[in-house]
Amino acid sequence: MEADAFASYVALDMELQQPLLVLGVLSDMQYADMDDPPAATAPPPPPPASLAPAAAGARHFRHSLELLKRAVQYWKAEGGVSFVAMLGNALAAENAPSERQWSALESFDDARGRVGAPFHLTPGEHDLRCFGTAQLHRLTARHAPLHYSFVACAGWRVVLLDSYDISLLAHPPGSAAYMDVLALLQEHNANPPDAADPLHGLEGDERRWSPTGGGVGRMQLDWLSAQLAAAAAAGERVVLLSRLGWLPAACDPERLLFNFEDVQQRVDAYPGVTALVLFGGDGRGAYARDLRGVHHLSPCAACACDVNEDAFGVVRILEYSIRVEMRGRAPDPERRPNGWPSELSFPTPNGTLVPALPGGGADGFGFILQIWLFLLHTIMLPMQPVFRLLTSSSSQRDEGVAPSRNVATPVDEKSADAAAEAGEEAA
């Protein structure tokens, strides 16, 4: 009996600890086989469009490929990943003027091909500058549309959004779609797209109206709602992947979607369904929770790492919680008002968080306590009839009362049958 109870404990322990899904996480490689640019310069705009993005920090073009190779080794050493979430900007826009994006893509493909798992990539502004929408499938290994979903495992759906569905970068200059986006920008931003500072005079969330920004179109919003509805009907939870964010507390204003409120509304309409949002727009790294308890997490940019410094990790989806294990560069403290998590609880429909059964915090004390309680309960459960018998008999002896026939005592089946027959004859 005790051996069986221990076997049950071990089985539960293994089930709780075994991840249902393991995601490799990486963002902003901006790889190019060229010398690093000065720290305060931004990538040149691709002709014929003249777009002036905000100044970037120090970027290390060649080192980012070495970082990807180390990430692959790490993911394999950790037992492999179900897939890699590449959250945008795999290649640097600086490749485009000299047509180096194709050789850079070969090096990138060779490194990511060693993972032995699918790469799901949400394109960023650098990727669009390198390939445009017409050739972007060479990088994503997927033809349009760029927003899609898949059921990664039982109970979990992954949804990828196209952050540049509405953007100047996604459409040829002069096209009808391009002019529509330009008109939208001019409604909110009086600066011309080719201005030295295209965000001059804009404050707070209004700084999202950048000529290098993007938004989610109406058709994609309706599709997102349909995906969340399908997940809710199937009893699934959702992981959302996006290049740009929609929670102001989790990213800089320049990295918000144009219509971030619309996306948040769609997610809010299905409370408790979306558990985690992974996005790559904030290169400083960020983490925050929305009012519904949904976790929004952005890793640090790989291209910003110094030599031998890393910025990648894994997200493990467990039966009762999500575990985050990041390596290397630490996120900016200002961009993680809720701390930097290692254990994420699932949000519920009322906006609270489900206590994480297997983790109970970074030290795992809650998990150990619950396992011991479960073990104690499992061992004691078969003994309950004996305890009830002993307790009842002891109580009746103390009160001078003979044991009742209602007490669950062991009875010989033949004796019981004979007693029943004697009772029938007496009647």
Side-chain angles (χ1 to χ4, degrees):
M1 183 181 300
E2 292 180 357
D4 291 341
F6 181 77
S8 300
Y9 155 67
V10 172
L12 176 69
D13 184 21
M14 293 300 292
E15 181 181 349
L16 292 177
Q17 294 300 304
Q18 188 66 30
L20 305 174
L21 200 60
V22 181
L23 288 64
V25 180
L26 180 66
S27 181
D28 273 291
M29 284 181 52
Q30 296 187 32
Y31 169 66
D33 186 13
M34 59 180 67
D35 294 335
D36 297 339
T41 63
S50 179
L51 305 176
R59 293 177 295 152
H60 304 290
F61 289 150
R62 291 191 179 98
H63 172 254
S64 64
L65 185 64
E66 299 305 313
L67 185 146
L68 173 58
K69 293 176 181 178
R70 289 200 298 273
V72 171
Q73 293 176 349
Y74 170 73
W75 293 328
K76 286 187 171 183
E78 290 293 302
V81 294
S82 307
F83 66 88
V84 174
M86 178 68 200
L87 302 170
N89 288 353
L91 305 184
E94 280 82 354
N95 285 295
S98 56
E99 295 288 323
R100 293 187 180 185
Q101 67 267 39
W102 305 110
S103 59
L105 179 60
E106 288 182 9
S107 299
F108 175 72
D109 280 343
D110 178 67
R112 70 170 167 178
R114 299 177 187 179
V115 176
F119 251 72
H120 291 284
L121 191 148
T122 59
E125 59 274 25
H126 283 257
D127 303 321
L128 283 163
R129 290 181 178 188
C130 281
F131 301 102
T133 52
Q135 297 292 331
L136 198 56
H137 66 277
R138 300 283 296 273
L139 175 65
T140 62
R142 177 183 176 84
H143 288 275
L146 295 175
H147 59 276
Y148 62 96
S149 72
F150 59 96
V151 176
C153 67
W156 284 89
R157 181 180 301 234
V158 178
V159 177
L160 286 86
L161 296 183
D162 177 10
S163 297
Y164 295 90
D165 189 9
I166 302 173
S167 71
L168 296 181
L169 295 171
H171 306 289
S175 65
Y178 182 94
M179 298 309 293
D180 288 343
V181 178
L182 183 60
L184 176 65
L185 282 172
Q186 290 173 342
E187 289 180 18
H188 301 276
N189 185 350
N191 301 293
D194 57 355
D197 179 8
L199 300 181
H200 176 73
L202 298 181
E203 301 291 338
D205 294 347
E206 292 301 306
R207 293 182 64 83
R208 72 187 186 276
W209 296 105
S210 164
T212 59
V216 175
R218 178 62 56 183
M219 290 183 63
Q220 189 181 173
L221 284 171
D222 292 342
W223 172 85
L224 172 60
S225 291
Q227 291 297 314
L228 296 175
E236 298 169 342
R237 295 187 187 273
V238 169
V239 175
L240 275 166
L241 307 182
S242 176
R243 171 59 192 172
L244 298 178
W246 60 86
L247 184 66
C251 63
D252 289 329
E254 295 87 349
R255 298 298 178 253
L256 284 171
L257 289 164
F258 288 158
N259 55 338
F260 68 91
E261 302 101 329
D262 293 335
V263 177
Q264 186 67 56
Q265 266 186 355
R266 302 299 177 114
V267 174
D268 285 346
Y270 298 91
V273 173
T274 301
L276 175 65
V277 176
L278 293 173
F279 67 101
D282 197 309
R284 292 187 294 162
Y287 168 73
R289 291 191 302 269
D290 66 18
L291 296 177
R292 297 280 189 176
V294 179
H295 306 281
H296 292 246
L297 190 149
S298 177
C300 294
C303 66
C305 293
D306 294 326
V307 175
N308 294 325
E309 186 180 31
D310 293 325
F312 54 78
V314 295
V315 173
R316 303 182 193 277
I317 308 293
L318 303 177
E319 186 70 28
Y320 294 99
S321 68
I322 301 172
R323 288 184 182 171
V324 180
E325 301 171 14
M326 302 299 293
R327 290 181 59 86
R329 194 178 185 91
D332 189 329
E334 294 181 359
R335 305 310 305 162
R336 40 189 170 131
N338 299 117
W340 187 248
S342 60
E343 191 96 13
L344 306 178
S345 298
F346 297 147
T348 64
N350 62 6
T352 59
L353 297 178
V354 178
L357 177 62
D363 59 2
F365 175 77
F367 172 66
I368 296 172
L369 177 60
Q370 292 181 65
I371 285 298
W372 274 109
L373 289 175
F374 172 80
L375 176 60
L376 182 62
H377 172 74
T378 304
I379 293 175
M380 301 302 289
L381 184 62
M383 303 295 292
Q384 286 182 2
V386 177
F387 290 140
R388 285 197 297 267
L389 173 60
L390 294 175
T391 302
S392 175
S393 300
S394 174
S395 174
Q396 290 169 346
R397 283 197 302 270
D398 292 341
E399 297 174 5
V401 179
S404 169
R405 292 296 297 171
N406 292 328
V407 176
T409 56
V411 179
D412 180 71
E413 292 182 0
K414 292 182 179 180
S415 300
D417 292 341
E421 292 175 1
E424 291 175 0
E425 291 176 0

